[in-house]
Amino acid sequence: MQYQPANQSPQPQYVNPGQIDTSFNSGLDAMSRCQSVYIKQRPDYLESLGFCEKKNVYYVYQSDTMGNKPDFKHQAPIFKCKEESSCWQRNCLPGACRAFDLKVKQYDQKQDTNTVFRLSREFKCTFLCLARPMMEVQLENGGKIGYIFYPFMCCDKGVEIRDENNSLIYSVKGSCCQWPFLVQLPCEACQRARFDIVDSQGQKVSELWKESAGFCNALCNVDATNFRLMFPQQSTSRQKALLLAAALFIDFNYFEESPQDQNQNSI
């Protein structure tokens, strides 16, 4: 089936955000019903003042078929993703190298909930095509969902998504000739970047967009990255979990800076 880009008019299956079904059961059932999600990183304003790098926290919202920004005041997230990592790695190593665990939990404002799945990446001293990072995605009971691999690319940006048998499912690729990779400007259009989701046959099946965190946040250099992820049609809940993991992996690889990196960029 031919993929329809996000900038074209929506198909009849468009779902209005006010009609979204949020009555999910536990586990990956929430992913199976989502046609797209909006990933919002919690901004940390102390980091922009030069304080130490803190643990990243992301909220995942169900969105309409085009992945548009939901109404955060009236719609609760379906997942909360929280980073677990050592303080020295967050503040001394770039985001593409440091080790971390990222627990994805069903969102509940009143109490802590069980982990649905988790993302684990070991420290890798990467140089060109040597020691490329890989992140493992697994259920809380230890069952493997798959892997996210960070291949060496001369020009393009992206990751590979592999199943539990290490077989390629999707590739997520974006051109390096986009504003966020060239220069940091606060205008919202200059903060957006597109990544194409390509299947194992090389056919484009969907898109992932890095979205603006807002003019003021960008002007103050606040660490807050938002993503708009449209799932491919007929993708399973496990594949959707891997695509969500790939979006978070891309944030760490390309848009996460340690305080040392920020100081060098400001010189």
Side-chain angles (χ1 to χ4, degrees):
M1 181 176 293
Q2 186 70 25
Y3 168 71
Q4 172 136 2
N7 57 1
Q8 295 186 10
S9 58
Q11 294 294 316
Q13 71 269 19
Y14 178 86
V15 179
N16 185 280
Q19 301 174 338
I20 287 175
D21 178 17
T22 56
S23 58
F24 300 123
N25 296 323
S26 59
L28 293 179
D29 182 53
M31 300 295 296
S32 64
R33 304 191 195 181
C34 294
Q35 299 185 40
S36 64
V37 292
Y38 193 92
I39 306 167
K40 177 179 175 63
Q41 183 179 359
R42 184 178 69 185
D44 197 312
Y45 299 101
L46 293 179
E47 291 183 9
S48 63
L49 299 176
F51 289 87
C52 66
E53 175 80 12
K54 300 180 70 177
K55 300 175 181 178
N56 288 350
V57 177
Y58 305 87
Y59 296 96
V60 181
Y61 295 82
Q62 186 182 14
S63 182
D64 57 36
T65 54
M66 309 306 294
N68 293 315
K69 182 187 296 185
D71 185 351
F72 300 123
K73 293 183 178 180
H74 299 94
Q75 183 178 334
I78 56 175
F79 291 124
K80 177 181 179 180
C81 315
K82 185 175 181 180
E83 175 190 359
E84 296 293 339
S85 59
S86 63
C87 181
W88 78 268
Q89 290 201 43
R90 289 197 307 273
N91 290 276
C92 298
L93 297 178
C97 293
R98 76 182 194 223
F100 64 84
D101 281 342
L102 202 62
K103 294 184 177 180
V104 180
K105 297 185 176 184
Q106 277 197 284
Y107 179 78
D108 192 319
Q109 189 175 11
K110 298 181 180 180
Q111 62 182 1
D112 189 29
T113 58
N114 295 328
T115 300
V116 179
F117 58 96
R118 61 188 300 168
L119 324 175
S120 300
R121 185 180 72 177
E122 298 179 351
F123 164 77
K124 285 290 183 70
C125 185
T126 300
F127 178 72
L128 297 180
C129 59
L130 303 177
R132 302 305 301 175
M134 178 179 285
M135 181 172 69
E136 183 177 351
V137 185
Q138 58 182 346
L139 298 170
E140 183 60 17
N141 61 11
K144 287 183 175 60
I145 299 178
Y147 304 89
I148 312 298
F149 180 65
Y150 183 16
F152 173 69
M153 298 181 178
C154 293
C155 297
D156 291 339
K157 311 290 186 179
V159 296
E160 293 180 354
I161 301 175
R162 303 176 179 179
D163 62 15
E164 66 274 16
N165 298 317
N166 210 18
S167 299
L168 180 66
I169 306 176
Y170 300 113
S171 297
V172 184
K173 299 179 180 179
S175 171
C176 64
C177 297
Q178 300 186 74
W179 283 113
F181 303 121
L182 300 175
V183 62
Q184 294 184 357
L185 296 175
C187 58
E188 295 194 3
C190 298
Q191 299 178 54
R192 303 179 75 236
R194 189 191 76 190
F195 296 85
D196 294 334
I197 301 175
V198 181
D199 63 17
S200 59
Q201 305 301 318
Q203 179 71 31
K204 179 179 175 181
V205 292
S206 193
E207 292 177 350
L208 167 69
W209 283 84
K210 176 194 178 293
E211 293 293 339
S212 168
F215 178 85
C216 294
N217 283 337
L219 187 65
C220 299
N221 199 26
V222 175
D223 183 16
T225 308
N226 300 334
F227 288 97
R228 183 162 56 99
L229 171 60
M230 285 77 73
F231 295 122
Q233 296 184 13
Q234 309 302 324
S235 56
T236 66
S237 58
R238 285 175 170 254
Q239 292 173 348
K240 291 177 180 179
L242 289 171
L243 287 163
L244 172 60
L248 300 177
F249 198 46
I250 285 174
D251 182 38
F252 276 91
N253 288 341
Y254 299 117
F255 307 112
E256 185 72 15
E257 292 183 335
S258 67
Q260 291 184 356
D261 294 331
Q262 295 177 359
N263 293 335
Q264 291 176 359
N265 292 337
S266 63
I267 295 177

mmCIF file of all heavy atoms in Angstrom, residues 102-145:
data_model
loop_
_atom_site.group_PDB
_atom_site.id
_atom_site.type_symbol
_atom_site.label_atom_id
_atom_site.label_comp_id
_atom_site.label_asym_id
_atom_site.label_seq_id
_atom_site.Cartn_x
_atom_site.Cartn_y
_atom_site.Cartn_z
ATOM 1 N N LEU A 102 15.886 3.030 30.260
ATOM 2 C CA LEU A 102 14.705 3.875 30.117
ATOM 3 C C LEU A 102 13.481 2.999 30.348
ATOM 4 O O LEU A 102 13.198 2.104 29.550
ATOM 5 C CB LEU A 102 14.669 4.508 28.727
ATOM 6 C CG LEU A 102 13.847 5.781 28.542
ATOM 7 C CD1 LEU A 102 14.384 6.910 29.413
ATOM 8 C CD2 LEU A 102 13.851 6.204 27.085
ATOM 9 N N LYS A 103 12.784 3.221 31.453
ATOM 10 C CA LYS A 103 11.615 2.432 31.793
ATOM 11 C C LYS A 103 10.361 3.104 31.250
ATOM 12 O O LYS A 103 10.120 4.282 31.491
ATOM 13 C CB LYS A 103 11.512 2.263 33.311
ATOM 14 C CG LYS A 103 12.645 1.438 33.914
ATOM 15 C CD LYS A 103 12.435 1.236 35.404
ATOM 16 C CE LYS A 103 13.528 0.353 35.999
ATOM 17 N NZ LYS A 103 13.344 0.135 37.456
ATOM 18 N N VAL A 104 9.564 2.336 30.506
ATOM 19 C CA VAL A 104 8.316 2.828 29.928
ATOM 20 C C VAL A 104 7.175 2.259 30.764
ATOM 21 O O VAL A 104 6.955 1.044 30.779
ATOM 22 C CB VAL A 104 8.179 2.417 28.453
ATOM 23 C CG1 VAL A 104 6.881 2.943 27.866
ATOM 24 C CG2 VAL A 104 9.382 2.913 27.655
ATOM 25 N N LYS A 105 6.464 3.143 31.451
ATOM 26 C CA LYS A 105 5.393 2.725 32.346
ATOM 27 C C LYS A 105 4.076 3.328 31.904
ATOM 28 O O LYS A 105 4.039 4.409 31.307
ATOM 29 C CB LYS A 105 5.683 3.169 33.786
ATOM 30 C CG LYS A 105 6.939 2.558 34.397
ATOM 31 C CD LYS A 105 7.071 2.947 35.859
ATOM 32 C CE LYS A 105 8.266 2.260 36.513
ATOM 33 N NZ LYS A 105 8.343 2.554 37.965
ATOM 34 N N GLN A 106 2.990 2.611 32.177
ATOM 35 C CA GLN A 106 1.679 3.200 31.953
ATOM 36 C C GLN A 106 1.514 4.377 32.884
ATOM 37 O O GLN A 106 1.871 4.328 34.058
ATOM 38 C CB GLN A 106 0.570 2.181 32.177
ATOM 39 C CG GLN A 106 0.316 1.293 30.956
ATOM 40 C CD GLN A 106 -1.024 0.593 31.058
ATOM 41 O OE1 GLN A 106 -1.149 -0.356 31.802
ATOM 42 N NE2 GLN A 106 -2.007 1.056 30.314
ATOM 43 N N TYR A 107 0.963 5.457 32.353
ATOM 44 C CA TYR A 107 0.879 6.695 33.130
ATOM 45 C C TYR A 107 -0.248 6.622 34.146
ATOM 46 O O TYR A 107 -1.376 6.231 33.828
ATOM 47 C CB TYR A 107 0.649 7.888 32.207
ATOM 48 C CG TYR A 107 0.530 9.194 32.946
ATOM 49 C CD1 TYR A 107 1.664 9.855 33.417
ATOM 50 C CD2 TYR A 107 -0.712 9.770 33.189
ATOM 51 C CE1 TYR A 107 1.564 11.048 34.100
ATOM 52 C CE2 TYR A 107 -0.826 10.972 33.871
ATOM 53 C CZ TYR A 107 0.317 11.605 34.319
ATOM 54 O OH TYR A 107 0.209 12.792 35.004
ATOM 55 N N ASP A 108 0.075 6.995 35.364
ATOM 56 C CA ASP A 108 -0.896 7.153 36.433
ATOM 57 C C ASP A 108 -0.398 8.270 37.325
ATOM 58 O O ASP A 108 0.662 8.159 37.942
ATOM 59 C CB ASP A 108 -1.070 5.859 37.232
ATOM 60 C CG ASP A 108 -2.288 5.908 38.156
ATOM 61 O OD1 ASP A 108 -2.516 6.960 38.781
ATOM 62 O OD2 ASP A 108 -3.006 4.903 38.251
ATOM 63 N N GLN A 109 -1.145 9.356 37.395
ATOM 64 C CA GLN A 109 -0.699 10.531 38.132
ATOM 65 C C GLN A 109 -0.638 10.286 39.632
ATOM 66 O O GLN A 109 0.137 10.914 40.349
ATOM 67 C CB GLN A 109 -1.629 11.707 37.837
ATOM 68 C CG GLN A 109 -1.143 13.041 38.376
ATOM 69 C CD GLN A 109 -2.045 14.180 37.950
ATOM 70 O OE1 GLN A 109 -3.133 13.964 37.421
ATOM 71 N NE2 GLN A 109 -1.596 15.399 38.167
ATOM 72 N N LYS A 110 -1.439 9.331 40.125
ATOM 73 C CA LYS A 110 -1.571 9.152 41.566
ATOM 74 C C LYS A 110 -0.621 8.102 42.127
ATOM 75 O O LYS A 110 -0.285 8.139 43.300
ATOM 76 C CB LYS A 110 -3.022 8.776 41.911
ATOM 77 C CG LYS A 110 -4.030 9.858 41.538
ATOM 78 C CD LYS A 110 -5.445 9.437 41.920
ATOM 79 C CE LYS A 110 -6.448 10.525 41.551
ATOM 80 N NZ LYS A 110 -7.840 10.137 41.903
ATOM 81 N N GLN A 111 -0.202 7.147 41.320
ATOM 82 C CA GLN A 111 0.621 6.080 41.860
ATOM 83 C C GLN A 111 1.609 5.580 40.813
ATOM 84 O O GLN A 111 1.424 5.797 39.610
ATOM 85 C CB GLN A 111 -0.247 4.909 42.331
ATOM 86 C CG GLN A 111 -1.060 4.257 41.219
ATOM 87 C CD GLN A 111 -1.940 3.133 41.732
ATOM 88 O OE1 GLN A 111 -1.964 2.842 42.914
ATOM 89 N NE2 GLN A 111 -2.670 2.495 40.823
ATOM 90 N N ASP A 112 2.649 4.928 41.303
ATOM 91 C CA ASP A 112 3.641 4.342 40.410
ATOM 92 C C ASP A 112 3.087 3.042 39.839
ATOM 93 O O ASP A 112 2.518 2.225 40.562
ATOM 94 C CB ASP A 112 4.932 4.079 41.182
ATOM 95 C CG ASP A 112 6.071 3.677 40.263
ATOM 96 O OD1 ASP A 112 6.058 4.107 39.101
ATOM 97 O OD2 ASP A 112 6.955 2.930 40.704
ATOM 98 N N THR A 113 3.235 2.849 38.545
ATOM 99 C CA THR A 113 2.681 1.678 37.881
ATOM 100 C C THR A 113 3.797 0.736 37.446
ATOM 101 O O THR A 113 4.979 1.083 37.480
ATOM 102 C CB THR A 113 1.850 2.093 36.650
ATOM 103 O OG1 THR A 113 2.691 2.844 35.762
ATOM 104 C CG2 THR A 113 0.665 2.956 37.060
ATOM 105 N N ASN A 114 3.412 -0.445 37.019
ATOM 106 C CA ASN A 114 4.391 -1.434 36.568
ATOM 107 C C ASN A 114 5.000 -1.023 35.231
ATOM 108 O O ASN A 114 4.369 -0.364 34.408
ATOM 109 C CB ASN A 114 3.734 -2.814 36.439
ATOM 110 C CG ASN A 114 3.276 -3.359 37.768
ATOM 111 O OD1 ASN A 114 3.887 -3.080 38.796
ATOM 112 N ND2 ASN A 114 2.203 -4.132 37.754
ATOM 113 N N THR A 115 6.224 -1.456 35.027
ATOM 114 C CA THR A 115 6.919 -1.182 33.770
ATOM 115 C C THR A 115 6.353 -2.071 32.663
ATOM 116 O O THR A 115 6.233 -3.285 32.833
ATOM 117 C CB THR A 115 8.424 -1.440 33.928
ATOM 118 O OG1 THR A 115 8.950 -0.585 34.952
ATOM 119 C CG2 THR A 115 9.159 -1.170 32.623
ATOM 120 N N VAL A 116 5.991 -1.461 31.529
ATOM 121 C CA VAL A 116 5.476 -2.212 30.388
ATOM 122 C C VAL A 116 6.640 -2.813 29.603
ATOM 123 O O VAL A 116 6.665 -3.999 29.299
ATOM 124 C CB VAL A 116 4.617 -1.310 29.488
ATOM 125 C CG1 VAL A 116 4.094 -2.098 28.280
ATOM 126 C CG2 VAL A 116 3.458 -0.726 30.275
ATOM 127 N N PHE A 117 7.615 -1.974 29.249
ATOM 128 C CA PHE A 117 8.849 -2.454 28.642
ATOM 129 C C PHE A 117 9.964 -1.483 28.982
ATOM 130 O O PHE A 117 9.716 -0.369 29.458
ATOM 131 C CB PHE A 117 8.711 -2.671 27.123
ATOM 132 C CG PHE A 117 8.300 -1.447 26.349
ATOM 133 C CD1 PHE A 117 9.243 -0.641 25.726
ATOM 134 C CD2 PHE A 117 6.956 -1.117 26.200
ATOM 135 C CE1 PHE A 117 8.876 0.468 24.998
ATOM 136 C CE2 PHE A 117 6.575 0.006 25.474
ATOM 137 C CZ PHE A 117 7.534 0.793 24.873
ATOM 138 N N ARG A 118 11.184 -1.897 28.742
ATOM 139 C CA ARG A 118 12.333 -1.081 29.108
ATOM 140 C C ARG A 118 13.362 -1.091 27.990
ATOM 141 O O ARG A 118 13.471 -2.043 27.219
ATOM 142 C CB ARG A 118 12.962 -1.574 30.416
ATOM 143 C CG ARG A 118 13.490 -2.988 30.372
ATOM 144 C CD ARG A 118 13.922 -3.451 31.749
ATOM 145 N NE ARG A 118 14.968 -2.607 32.294
ATOM 146 C CZ ARG A 118 15.372 -2.634 33.569
ATOM 147 N NH1 ARG A 118 14.784 -3.462 34.408
ATOM 148 N NH2 ARG A 118 16.334 -1.850 33.978
ATOM 149 N N LEU A 119 14.114 -0.003 27.930
ATOM 150 C CA LEU A 119 15.155 0.175 26.931
ATOM 151 C C LEU A 119 16.488 0.243 27.650
ATOM 152 O O LEU A 119 16.643 1.014 28.599
ATOM 153 C CB LEU A 119 14.926 1.464 26.126
ATOM 154 C CG LEU A 119 13.467 1.845 25.830
ATOM 155 C CD1 LEU A 119 13.402 3.195 25.144
ATOM 156 C CD2 LEU A 119 12.790 0.779 25.004
ATOM 157 N N SER A 120 17.444 -0.538 27.209
ATOM 158 C CA SER A 120 18.747 -0.606 27.871
ATOM 159 C C SER A 120 19.852 -0.437 26.847
ATOM 160 O O SER A 120 19.870 -1.130 25.819
ATOM 161 C CB SER A 120 18.924 -1.949 28.601
ATOM 162 O OG SER A 120 17.927 -2.122 29.578
ATOM 163 N N ARG A 121 20.766 0.479 27.129
ATOM 164 C CA ARG A 121 21.920 0.674 26.261
ATOM 165 C C ARG A 121 23.181 0.733 27.107
ATOM 166 O O ARG A 121 23.234 1.442 28.114
ATOM 167 C CB ARG A 121 21.798 1.968 25.448
ATOM 168 C CG ARG A 121 22.925 2.132 24.446
ATOM 169 C CD ARG A 121 22.800 3.400 23.643
ATOM 170 N NE ARG A 121 23.096 4.588 24.434
ATOM 171 C CZ ARG A 121 23.119 5.820 23.927
ATOM 172 N NH1 ARG A 121 22.825 6.007 22.649
ATOM 173 N NH2 ARG A 121 23.395 6.854 24.681
ATOM 174 N N GLU A 122 24.199 -0.015 26.702
ATOM 175 C CA GLU A 122 25.486 0.004 27.380
ATOM 176 C C GLU A 122 26.356 1.131 26.834
ATOM 177 O O GLU A 122 26.156 1.628 25.727
ATOM 178 C CB GLU A 122 26.199 -1.338 27.186
ATOM 179 C CG GLU A 122 25.463 -2.534 27.758
ATOM 180 C CD GLU A 122 26.202 -3.834 27.520
ATOM 181 O OE1 GLU A 122 27.198 -3.807 26.756
ATOM 182 O OE2 GLU A 122 25.795 -4.861 28.084
ATOM 183 N N PHE A 123 27.348 1.515 27.635
ATOM 184 C CA PHE A 123 28.306 2.525 27.188
ATOM 185 C C PHE A 123 29.119 1.990 26.017
ATOM 186 O O PHE A 123 29.566 0.847 26.013
ATOM 187 C CB PHE A 123 29.248 2.908 28.335
ATOM 188 C CG PHE A 123 30.475 3.644 27.878
ATOM 189 C CD1 PHE A 123 30.419 4.982 27.541
ATOM 190 C CD2 PHE A 123 31.690 2.986 27.768
ATOM 191 C CE1 PHE A 123 31.546 5.660 27.107
ATOM 192 C CE2 PHE A 123 32.827 3.645 27.340
ATOM 193 C CZ PHE A 123 32.751 4.990 27.009
ATOM 194 N N LYS A 124 29.280 2.831 24.989
ATOM 195 C CA LYS A 124 30.099 2.466 23.838
ATOM 196 C C LYS A 124 30.973 3.658 23.462
ATOM 197 O O LYS A 124 30.475 4.769 23.299
ATOM 198 C CB LYS A 124 29.229 2.083 22.639
ATOM 199 C CG LYS A 124 28.577 0.712 22.729
ATOM 200 C CD LYS A 124 29.595 -0.406 22.609
ATOM 201 C CE LYS A 124 28.952 -1.780 22.627
ATOM 202 N NZ LYS A 124 28.196 -2.053 21.401
ATOM 203 N N CYS A 125 32.280 3.401 23.350
ATOM 204 C CA CYS A 125 33.211 4.410 22.858
ATOM 205 C C CYS A 125 33.243 4.281 21.336
ATOM 206 O O CYS A 125 34.008 3.520 20.772
ATOM 207 C CB CYS A 125 34.589 4.221 23.466
ATOM 208 S SG CYS A 125 35.770 5.506 23.011
ATOM 209 N N THR A 126 32.359 5.016 20.672
ATOM 210 C CA THR A 126 32.131 4.856 19.245
ATOM 211 C C THR A 126 33.093 5.717 18.442
ATOM 212 O O THR A 126 33.322 6.887 18.756
ATOM 213 C CB THR A 126 30.681 5.248 18.913
ATOM 214 O OG1 THR A 126 29.802 4.396 19.638
ATOM 215 C CG2 THR A 126 30.408 5.100 17.438
ATOM 216 N N PHE A 127 33.625 5.134 17.380
ATOM 217 C CA PHE A 127 34.465 5.885 16.443
ATOM 218 C C PHE A 127 34.207 5.367 15.039
ATOM 219 O O PHE A 127 34.480 4.194 14.739
ATOM 220 C CB PHE A 127 35.953 5.751 16.783
ATOM 221 C CG PHE A 127 36.865 6.473 15.824
ATOM 222 C CD1 PHE A 127 36.936 7.857 15.825
ATOM 223 C CD2 PHE A 127 37.616 5.773 14.897
ATOM 224 C CE1 PHE A 127 37.758 8.530 14.941
ATOM 225 C CE2 PHE A 127 38.448 6.428 13.996
ATOM 226 C CZ PHE A 127 38.516 7.824 14.025
ATOM 227 N N LEU A 128 33.616 6.236 14.197
ATOM 228 C CA LEU A 128 33.273 5.872 12.825
ATOM 229 C C LEU A 128 32.474 4.565 12.804
ATOM 230 O O LEU A 128 31.412 4.484 13.400
ATOM 231 C CB LEU A 128 34.541 5.794 11.974
ATOM 232 C CG LEU A 128 35.319 7.108 11.814
ATOM 233 C CD1 LEU A 128 36.555 6.905 10.958
ATOM 234 C CD2 LEU A 128 34.448 8.207 11.238
ATOM 235 N N CYS A 129 32.962 3.531 12.132
ATOM 236 C CA CYS A 129 32.209 2.280 12.022
ATOM 237 C C CYS A 129 32.526 1.301 13.149
ATOM 238 O O CYS A 129 32.024 0.170 13.148
ATOM 239 C CB CYS A 129 32.484 1.612 10.678
ATOM 240 S SG CYS A 129 34.226 1.219 10.391
ATOM 241 N N LEU A 130 33.326 1.700 14.119
ATOM 242 C CA LEU A 130 33.742 0.811 15.200
ATOM 243 C C LEU A 130 32.852 0.990 16.429
ATOM 244 O O LEU A 130 32.506 2.111 16.799
ATOM 245 C CB LEU A 130 35.202 1.077 15.572
ATOM 246 C CG LEU A 130 36.236 0.945 14.440
ATOM 247 C CD1 LEU A 130 37.619 1.317 14.946
ATOM 248 C CD2 LEU A 130 36.221 -0.465 13.864
ATOM 249 N N ALA A 131 32.501 -0.140 17.047
ATOM 250 C CA ALA A 131 31.757 -0.157 18.320
ATOM 251 C C ALA A 131 30.487 0.682 18.230
ATOM 252 O O ALA A 131 30.254 1.576 19.041
ATOM 253 C CB ALA A 131 32.653 0.330 19.461
ATOM 254 N N ARG A 132 29.667 0.382 17.261
ATOM 255 C CA ARG A 132 28.425 1.129 17.095
ATOM 256 C C ARG A 132 27.434 0.779 18.206
ATOM 257 O O ARG A 132 27.294 -0.388 18.584
ATOM 258 C CB ARG A 132 27.799 0.828 15.734
ATOM 259 C CG ARG A 132 28.682 1.134 14.545
ATOM 260 C CD ARG A 132 29.170 2.552 14.556
ATOM 261 N NE ARG A 132 28.091 3.515 14.552
ATOM 262 C CZ ARG A 132 28.276 4.834 14.649
ATOM 263 N NH1 ARG A 132 29.500 5.323 14.792
ATOM 264 N NH2 ARG A 132 27.246 5.656 14.640
ATOM 265 N N PRO A 133 26.738 1.775 18.763
ATOM 266 C CA PRO A 133 25.814 1.519 19.877
ATOM 267 C C PRO A 133 24.594 0.711 19.451
ATOM 268 O O PRO A 133 24.126 0.811 18.317
ATOM 269 C CB PRO A 133 25.403 2.932 20.319
ATOM 270 C CG PRO A 133 26.426 3.852 19.735
ATOM 271 C CD PRO A 133 26.877 3.206 18.468
ATOM 272 N N MET A 134 24.094 -0.075 20.384
ATOM 273 C CA MET A 134 22.858 -0.833 20.181
ATOM 274 C C MET A 134 22.052 -0.787 21.468
ATOM 275 O O MET A 134 22.608 -0.910 22.563
ATOM 276 C CB MET A 134 23.149 -2.277 19.779
ATOM 277 C CG MET A 134 21.886 -3.125 19.596
ATOM 278 S SD MET A 134 22.228 -4.831 19.095
ATOM 279 C CE MET A 134 22.670 -4.587 17.380
ATOM 280 N N MET A 135 20.757 -0.614 21.342
ATOM 281 C CA MET A 135 19.867 -0.574 22.499
ATOM 282 C C MET A 135 18.924 -1.764 22.451
ATOM 283 O O MET A 135 18.336 -2.061 21.407
ATOM 284 C CB MET A 135 19.072 0.735 22.512
ATOM 285 C CG MET A 135 18.143 0.879 23.698
ATOM 286 S SD MET A 135 17.403 2.534 23.779
ATOM 287 C CE MET A 135 16.313 2.455 22.340
ATOM 288 N N GLU A 136 18.798 -2.444 23.561
ATOM 289 C CA GLU A 136 17.912 -3.608 23.653
ATOM 290 C C GLU A 136 16.568 -3.181 24.224
ATOM 291 O O GLU A 136 16.501 -2.413 25.187
ATOM 292 C CB GLU A 136 18.535 -4.686 24.533
ATOM 293 C CG GLU A 136 17.707 -5.950 24.628
ATOM 294 C CD GLU A 136 18.375 -7.035 25.456
ATOM 295 O OE1 GLU A 136 19.564 -6.864 25.809
ATOM 296 O OE2 GLU A 136 17.713 -8.052 25.758
ATOM 297 N N VAL A 137 15.503 -3.676 23.626
ATOM 298 C CA VAL A 137 14.142 -3.395 24.077
ATOM 299 C C VAL A 137 13.542 -4.704 24.557
ATOM 300 O O VAL A 137 13.483 -5.681 23.804
ATOM 301 C CB VAL A 137 13.285 -2.795 22.940
ATOM 302 C CG1 VAL A 137 11.912 -2.402 23.454
ATOM 303 C CG2 VAL A 137 13.992 -1.598 22.309
ATOM 304 N N GLN A 138 13.099 -4.724 25.806
ATOM 305 C CA GLN A 138 12.589 -5.973 26.364
ATOM 306 C C GLN A 138 11.422 -5.706 27.295
ATOM 307 O O GLN A 138 11.274 -4.609 27.849
ATOM 308 C CB GLN A 138 13.701 -6.706 27.131
ATOM 309 C CG GLN A 138 14.321 -5.930 28.266
ATOM 310 C CD GLN A 138 15.438 -6.693 28.950
ATOM 311 O OE1 GLN A 138 15.602 -7.886 28.755
ATOM 312 N NE2 GLN A 138 16.203 -6.005 29.788
ATOM 313 N N LEU A 139 10.583 -6.719 27.430
ATOM 314 C CA LEU A 139 9.489 -6.660 28.386
ATOM 315 C C LEU A 139 10.036 -6.708 29.810
ATOM 316 O O LEU A 139 11.187 -7.097 30.036
ATOM 317 C CB LEU A 139 8.520 -7.815 28.153
ATOM 318 C CG LEU A 139 7.818 -7.838 26.786
ATOM 319 C CD1 LEU A 139 7.077 -9.155 26.603
ATOM 320 C CD2 LEU A 139 6.872 -6.663 26.635
ATOM 321 N N GLU A 140 9.209 -6.337 30.754
ATOM 322 C CA GLU A 140 9.669 -6.320 32.142
ATOM 323 C C GLU A 140 10.020 -7.714 32.637
ATOM 324 O O GLU A 140 10.871 -7.880 33.506
ATOM 325 C CB GLU A 140 8.591 -5.691 33.032
ATOM 326 C CG GLU A 140 8.969 -5.556 34.493
ATOM 327 C CD GLU A 140 10.205 -4.692 34.710
ATOM 328 O OE1 GLU A 140 10.595 -3.937 33.810
ATOM 329 O OE2 GLU A 140 10.791 -4.781 35.806
ATOM 330 N N ASN A 141 9.377 -8.739 32.071
ATOM 331 C CA ASN A 141 9.686 -10.111 32.484
ATOM 332 C C ASN A 141 10.953 -10.663 31.828
ATOM 333 O O ASN A 141 11.300 -11.829 32.026
ATOM 334 C CB ASN A 141 8.504 -11.033 32.186
ATOM 335 C CG ASN A 141 8.157 -11.090 30.697
ATOM 336 O OD1 ASN A 141 8.912 -10.597 29.863
ATOM 337 N ND2 ASN A 141 7.019 -11.687 30.383
ATOM 338 N N GLY A 142 11.622 -9.832 31.026
ATOM 339 C CA GLY A 142 12.870 -10.258 30.400
ATOM 340 C C GLY A 142 12.740 -10.703 28.970
ATOM 341 O O GLY A 142 13.750 -10.912 28.293
ATOM 342 N N GLY A 143 11.507 -10.881 28.480
ATOM 343 C CA GLY A 143 11.322 -11.285 27.090
ATOM 344 C C GLY A 143 11.748 -10.191 26.131
ATOM 345 O O GLY A 143 11.382 -9.027 26.294
ATOM 346 N N LYS A 144 12.518 -10.547 25.138
ATOM 347 C CA LYS A 144 13.050 -9.563 24.196
ATOM 348 C C LYS A 144 11.996 -9.155 23.171
ATOM 349 O O LYS A 144 11.274 -9.991 22.629
ATOM 350 C CB LYS A 144 14.282 -10.116 23.487
ATOM 351 C CG LYS A 144 15.518 -10.200 24.365
ATOM 352 C CD LYS A 144 16.727 -10.691 23.579
ATOM 353 C CE LYS A 144 17.996 -10.652 24.423
ATOM 354 N NZ LYS A 144 17.897 -11.506 25.624
ATOM 355 N N ILE A 145 11.925 -7.855 22.903
ATOM 356 C CA ILE A 145 11.078 -7.326 21.842
ATOM 357 C C ILE A 145 11.904 -7.085 20.586
ATOM 358 O O ILE A 145 11.468 -7.349 19.474
ATOM 359 C CB ILE A 145 10.384 -6.025 22.294
ATOM 360 C CG1 ILE A 145 9.497 -6.285 23.516
ATOM 361 C CG2 ILE A 145 9.552 -5.446 21.162
ATOM 362 C CD1 ILE A 145 8.820 -5.049 24.057
#
